[in-house]
Amino acid sequence: FKGVYISAWNSSSEKIAKSPALEIKQNIIFGPNTKSPNPDIPQMFTLGTRFFGGYAQPKSFDAVYFVFDDIPWASQKLLEFYGNSEIAQAPSRNCQSRQRCNGASANVPQTDRGQSNFGVFDNGHTDDYHLKGGIEIHEYAHMVQFMQFQGKPTKNMNGGLGLLPNWFIEGHAHTAGNLASSTSLAEYKKFRSYWLNARADGLPGYWPESIESFYEKLAPGKSDSSVQSNVYSIGYFTVEALVAIKGADSPIELIKQVSDGLTWEQAFLKVYGIEWKDAAPILAKTVSRMFLER
């Protein structure tokens, strides 16, 4: 388990190195009172296009940034772009107060046009994940996940993502964000250590049995708000382990297989060569040791 992060980093850096950047139109805009939290935002999104090279990606996307005072502006802008009142409500969810304004969300509301929106602290104080590109690549990963289902019957289940475990969807995006935004193995180790200090919300601890119960609570078609926040810790380190085993493309390949009609269990077996029910206790034991021996 101690070598998982090294193998995952190697796979990610190799994939980015061999994948050319795609010419995807980036429409990055900031609210009237909002300053850019990161001068390298365009380059971060470009890294995302390279990380997902070989898979369907949007031809363009919008990235809307806003501080608390710019929520009405951001909502109006999203409504202008897509005419969708549900998407227009996203800024108020992602920036619930001045003290809680670093949420983000993304999807693909039009055939090959993605959208993302990002709450920004107006005092500029936040963590490396929000300052160094992790959050941008995380949200771009969600656009790419949705893109696998475009034009397919499977899109009807919550854009397709309802056919997959929520911990896998968020864990995959989080893995991509942390891996692709880091410039070295040492930096990646620093990024991941932040998430190893997360609390096991809604669980008795990071024991293997607790982690297995977490997988079950957020299985395809299931939700449980009491454990949802663990998708960015347990979900992340589970997908990191899968990347270490089978490479950076393996999670998005699994998603593509589901978009083509396989069930979660069938796709997992096809990509990883083992039944999910047999893999779950092994992964739970591995992830448990990551936390208990951090």
Side-chain angles (χ1 to χ4, degrees), residues 153-198:
T154 47
K155 183 185 176 185
N156 295 327
M157 270 295 285
N158 187 24
L161 301 193
L163 299 168
L164 293 145
N166 187 256
W167 65 260
F168 183 82
I169 290 297
E170 292 295 346
H172 174 219
H174 220 48
T175 301
N178 281 296
L179 280 171
S181 65
S182 54
T183 59
S184 67
L185 177 60
E187 186 173 49
Y188 177 61
K189 186 178 181 182
K190 178 187 173 187
F191 285 175
R192 81 191 288 272
S193 67
Y194 177 86
W195 303 100
L196 279 172
N197 289 315

Side-chain angles (χ1 to χ4, degrees), residues 180-239:
S181 65
S182 54
T183 59
S184 67
L185 177 60
E187 186 173 49
Y188 177 61
K189 186 178 181 182
K190 178 187 173 187
F191 285 175
R192 81 191 288 272
S193 67
Y194 177 86
W195 303 100
L196 279 172
N197 289 315
R199 299 175 306 178
D201 289 338
L203 299 171
Y206 286 119
W207 308 109
E209 298 79 11
S210 299
I211 293 173
E212 278 197 77
S213 74
F214 164 78
Y215 296 150
E216 180 55 33
K217 289 174 187 290
L218 296 179
K222 291 186 177 182
S223 63
D224 188 327
S225 59
S226 70
V227 300
Q228 178 63 27
S229 64
N230 298 298
V231 297
Y232 306 109
S233 50
I234 297 174
Y236 163 30
F237 293 114
T238 303
V239 176

Side-chain angles (χ1 to χ4, degrees), residues 8-284:
W9 157 257
N10 286 339
S11 179
S12 170
S13 58
E14 288 169 9
K15 174 64 189 291
I16 290 171
K18 73 179 183 182
S19 301
L22 300 183
E23 291 189 17
I24 294 171
K25 184 179 179 182
Q26 302 183 19
N27 179 34
I28 301 169
I29 57 175
F30 300 92
N33 302 294
T34 306
K35 295 179 180 178
S36 173
N38 177 1
D40 297 324
I41 286 172
Q43 293 93 313
M44 291 300 109
F45 281 121
T46 297
L47 279 173
T49 73
R50 296 171 67 183
F51 185 86
F52 290 109
Y55 289 86
Q57 299 187 43
K59 291 183 179 178
S60 67
F61 65 86
D62 307 294
V64 179
Y65 291 78
F66 53 92
V67 293
F68 183 76
D69 290 336
D70 288 340
I71 289 175
W73 168 87
S75 296
Q76 182 59 36
K77 190 63 66 175
L78 293 172
L79 191 62
E80 287 174 13
F81 285 163
Y82 317 110
N84 184 310
S85 58
E86 173 63 22
I87 293 175
Q89 293 173 26
S92 59
R93 292 193 296 268
N94 291 327
C95 184
Q96 297 176 19
S97 68
R98 292 188 191 280
Q99 292 71 40
R100 295 183 62 193
C101 192
N102 63 349
S105 56
N107 60 8
V108 180
Q110 296 175 0
T111 305
D112 49 19
R113 179 186 181 185
Q115 80 82 19
S116 54
N117 64 95
F118 302 84
V120 178
F121 284 129
D122 51 17
N123 62 9
H125 178 70
T126 189
D127 53 75
D128 281 348
Y129 191 69
H130 291 82
L131 290 175
K132 296 189 174 181
I135 189 69
E136 277 79 21
I137 298 172
H138 178 120
E139 299 307 332
Y140 186 73
H142 284 318
M143 295 185 222
V144 176
Q145 291 168 346
F146 278 111
M147 281 299 301
Q148 306 316 303
F149 293 89
Q150 292 294 85
K152 301 176 183 178
T154 47
K155 183 185 176 185
N156 295 327
M157 270 295 285
N158 187 24
L161 301 193
L163 299 168
L164 293 145
N166 187 256
W167 65 260
F168 183 82
I169 290 297
E170 292 295 346
H172 174 219
H174 220 48
T175 301
N178 281 296
L179 280 171
S181 65
S182 54
T183 59
S184 67
L185 177 60
E187 186 173 49
Y188 177 61
K189 186 178 181 182
K190 178 187 173 187
F191 285 175
R192 81 191 288 272
S193 67
Y194 177 86
W195 303 100
L196 279 172
N197 289 315
R199 299 175 306 178
D201 289 338
L203 299 171
Y206 286 119
W207 308 109
E209 298 79 11
S210 299
I211 293 173
E212 278 197 77
S213 74
F214 164 78
Y215 296 150
E216 180 55 33
K217 289 174 187 290
L218 296 179
K222 291 186 177 182
S223 63
D224 188 327
S225 59
S226 70
V227 300
Q228 178 63 27
S229 64
N230 298 298
V231 297
Y232 306 109
S233 50
I234 297 174
Y236 163 30
F237 293 114
T238 303
V239 176
E240 182 196 53
L242 293 171
V243 168
I245 292 166
K246 209 70 175 179
D249 279 346
S250 62
I252 194 64
E253 177 60 29
L254 187 153
I255 292 170
K256 181 178 180 296
Q257 294 294 328
V258 170
S259 77
D260 288 336
L262 295 188
T263 65
W264 154 253
E265 290 82 4
Q266 290 168 337
F268 192 92
L269 176 60
K270 184 171 183 178
V271 173
Y272 294 106
I274 183 174
E275 296 274 2
W276 166 246
K277 63 180 177 62
D278 299 322
I282 301 170
L283 288 165

